[in-house]
């Protein structure tokens, strides 16, 4: 299987929902599940962000689901849109939605479903002006077909870039895994937690913990610093923004396929 990662970028004023993400950089949406057939698309999304931004999101979506003039990403009219908040906190939502689009060129999940068929797996993530998609695809010919159809059918004000076509990287695990953290750094973190180093107020200093472990203070501090930096990078990569990678030249994409 191959992982096809690409991003659709929105200009301000093109899409009311995406305008909220552009205006609120801390607003973030990531799919928990997304499925599509040639007739409909349904998905489960986790949204996080400031309370005010989430409340504005609720209002925009409620209005959109009642409006007959809503258009899909590629210009197809949305003929039916069901939306429900399954879980709500001041800084988070888990929402279910199901959409059916009318005649014409349809949105990305429908394009993917048409070319991939049974077994379609995809993810989507929104932050700022970007909506990033990940698809699992079995052959490069399908990659090229999806890319060409999406590129040719995007509405005005939307642009497409490709991040990578590679072995799957982001599907096997969700969240932070300690597999890439050296054992001595894992042990340092475990000891710091055990001795209350991260409590407020702090129960023990690095010096005190290093004496208990019988290792130099500088060694423990180094291991903690390295482990904390690794955790921060993992957190940002796995749970926050979309990937920032060198964009793939469309001509190279066509050549590779």
């Amino acid at each position: 299987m191959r992982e096809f990662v690409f991003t659709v970028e929105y200009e301000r004023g093109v899409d009311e929902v995406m305008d909220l993400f552009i205006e609120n950089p801390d607003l973030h949406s990531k799919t928990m599940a997304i499925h599509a057939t040639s007739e409909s698309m349904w998905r489960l999304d986790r949204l996080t962000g400031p309370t005010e931004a989430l409340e504005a999101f609720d209002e925009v979506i409620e209005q959109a689901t009642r409006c007959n003039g809503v258009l899909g990403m590629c210009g197809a009219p949305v003929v039916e849109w069901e939306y429900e908040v399954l879980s709500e906190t001041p800084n988070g939502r888990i929402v279910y939605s199901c959409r059916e689009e009318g005649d014409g060129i349809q949105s990305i999940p429908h394009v993917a479903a048409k070319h991939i068929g049974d077994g379609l797996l995809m993810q989507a993530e929104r932050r700022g002006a970007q909506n990033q998609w990940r698809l699992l695809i079995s052959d490069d010919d399908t990659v090229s077909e999806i890319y060409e159809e999406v590129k040719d059918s995007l509405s005005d004000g939307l642009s497409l870039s490709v991040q990578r076509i590679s072995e799957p990287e982001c599907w096997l695990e969700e969240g932070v895994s300690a597999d890439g953290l050296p054992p001595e750094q894992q042990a340092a973190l475990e000891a710091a937690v055990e001795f209350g180093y991260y409590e407020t107020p702090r129960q023990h200093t690095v010096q005190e913990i290093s004496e208990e472990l019988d290792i130099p203070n500088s060694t423990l501090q180094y291991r903690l610093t390295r482990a904390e930096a690794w955790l921060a990078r993992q957190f940002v990569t796995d749970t926050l923004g979309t990937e920032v990678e060198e964009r793939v030249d469309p001509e190279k994409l066509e050549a590779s396929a």
Side-chain angles (χ1 to χ4, degrees):
M1 299 292 287
R2 305 271 279 169
E3 181 180 43
F4 181 28
V5 183
F6 61 93
T7 298
V8 176
E9 189 157 347
Y10 289 69
E11 294 179 5
R12 188 184 296 271
V14 173
D15 183 278
E16 193 172 6
V17 175
M18 287 303 297
D19 280 348
L20 285 175
F21 287 87
I22 295 173
E23 295 161 5
N24 299 274
D26 292 330
L27 185 61
H28 174 237
S29 171
K30 188 172 184 179
T31 59
M32 302 170 68
I34 179 169
H35 304 280
T37 67
S38 59
E39 299 166 348
S40 61
M41 169 183 65
W42 58 102
R43 59 193 293 169
L44 198 61
D45 291 275
R46 175 182 285 113
L47 287 97
T48 58
T51 301
E52 296 79 7
L54 289 171
E55 291 175 347
F57 179 89
D58 293 340
E59 293 178 6
V60 168
I61 290 295
E62 184 176 357
Q63 293 173 4
T65 55
R66 297 178 179 178
C67 177
N68 294 326
V70 175
L71 298 179
M73 180 181 298
C74 301
V78 176
V79 298
E80 187 172 342
W81 192 349
E82 180 184 353
Y83 178 87
E84 182 178 352
V85 178
L86 303 182
S87 174
E88 178 178 350
T89 67
N91 298 110
R93 303 281 191 278
I94 294 178
V95 298
Y96 165 84
S97 62
C98 181
R99 288 188 358 178
E100 181 180 340
E101 295 182 3
D103 296 333
I105 299 173
Q106 294 186 305
S107 297
I108 287 174
H110 296 290
V111 174
K114 179 174 70 175
H115 289 284
I116 297 175
D118 292 343
L120 170 64
L121 287 174
M122 71 181 83
Q123 294 178 344
E125 192 166 1
R126 290 180 287 184
R127 181 183 290 279
Q130 297 185 338
N131 190 356
Q132 187 171 90
W133 297 82
R134 293 186 180 92
L135 305 178
L136 277 184
I137 298 177
S138 59
D139 63 89
D140 287 343
D141 287 341
T142 304
V143 170
S144 182
E145 292 168 358
I146 292 174
Y147 170 80
E148 289 297 332
E149 184 163 346
V150 171
K151 181 187 69 172
D152 293 341
S153 60
L154 287 179
S155 303
D156 292 341
L158 278 63
S159 59
L160 176 67
S161 63
V162 177
Q163 278 63 58
R164 70 167 183 268
I165 306 167
S166 65
E167 296 300 316
E169 295 182 10
C170 300
W171 297 78
L172 301 181
E173 304 225 8
E174 180 70 23
V176 176
S177 167
D179 291 346
L181 194 63
E184 63 272 13
Q185 294 179 22
Q186 293 187 39
L189 278 177
E190 292 170 358
V193 171
E194 180 181 350
F195 284 97
Y197 178 72
Y198 295 107
E199 298 293 333
T200 303
R202 185 166 288 165
Q203 296 179 10
H204 291 86
T205 66
V206 171
Q207 177 69 43
E208 293 169 339
I209 299 173
S210 65
E211 291 174 356
E212 290 287 339
L213 299 178
D214 194 26
I215 61 175
N217 175 68
S218 59
T219 298
L220 179 60
Q221 184 63 70
Y222 173 80
R223 291 174 180 174
L224 283 176
T225 300
R226 296 286 293 179
E228 290 164 357
W230 182 86
L231 285 170
R233 288 192 298 269
Q234 285 292 107
F235 176 77
V236 171
T237 299
D238 293 344
T239 62
L240 291 181
T242 55
E243 296 181 44
V244 180
E245 298 187 20
E246 182 180 356
R247 297 186 175 186
V248 175
D249 188 326
E251 293 183 1
K252 293 181 179 179
L253 171 65
E254 293 176 4
S256 68

